[in-house]
Amino acid sequence: MMNWVVGSDHGGFALKQHLVAMLRAAGDVVDDVGTDGEASVDYPSFGAEVGRRVAADPTGAVRGIVVCGSGIGISIAANKVPGVRCALVHDAYTAELCRQHNDANVIALGGRVVGVGVAEHAVMAYRKAEFEGGRHARRVAQLGGLDPK
Ligand code: RB5
């Protein structure tokens, strides 16, 4: 069982809804911060809200998923929050690697880029993967050193 915070703009809304349902069906707890429909909204606030909730979790176990049309804008927004390592993923390979090597605590997907099947596989690959530590831990610590103090 995993705990997630999920958010999107209108460009990622349909895919977000699909992923929320998939994760809940798998037994996970999902906190959906919106958006709640197809109406046009601005992605920065949704990406930042997911990032803040992930970064604020004292256990460090909460993971985030952000979705916009391309995945780009909302990943930039999430990455503005200190402590967030958001990876824009396109498939199961990048999703698995971002956990194993980068210890990404948020993943971003493009609702207009990847199909539902590819997105499902990506999220499930990320869900299953584990951080490998070792030399990667040194590099991830260096990433943390780049956060504003
Ligand atoms: C919205 O049209 C679109 O710009 C947004 O979903 C996202 O792709 C931005 O990076």
Side-chain angles (χ1 to χ4, degrees), residues 19 21 23-24 44 49 64 73 75 81 89-90 107 117 125 138-139 144:
L19 294 174
L23 291 169
R24 286 182 177 152
E49 182 60 17
S75 68
V81 178
V89 304
H90 296 295
I107 56 171
R138 182 179 70 243
R139 295 159 186 166

Side-chain angles (χ1 to χ4, degrees), residues 9-12 40-41 43 67-74 112:
D9 73 354
H10 54 290
S40 182
V41 292
Y43 57 79
V67 193
C68 66
S70 63
I72 296 169
I74 204 160
R112 298 171 183 156

Side-chain angles (χ1 to χ4, degrees), residues 58-131:
T59 69
V62 172
R63 305 282 170 227
I65 300 176
V66 291
V67 193
C68 66
S70 63
I72 296 169
I74 204 160
S75 68
I76 293 171
N79 273 316
K80 293 283 183 186
V81 178
V84 168
R85 290 177 302 282
C86 176
L88 175 54
V89 304
H90 296 295
D91 46 37
Y93 179 76
T94 49
E96 183 178 44
L97 259 291
C98 82
R99 184 88 183 97
Q100 291 175 333
H101 287 194
N102 315 111
D103 199 19
N105 49 12
V106 181
I107 56 171
L109 291 150
R112 298 171 183 156
V113 179
V114 294
V116 166
V118 170
E120 282 181 359
H121 278 225
V123 170
M124 287 317 215
Y126 174 82
R127 187 176 182 270
K128 200 170 102 185
E130 287 181 14
F131 182 48

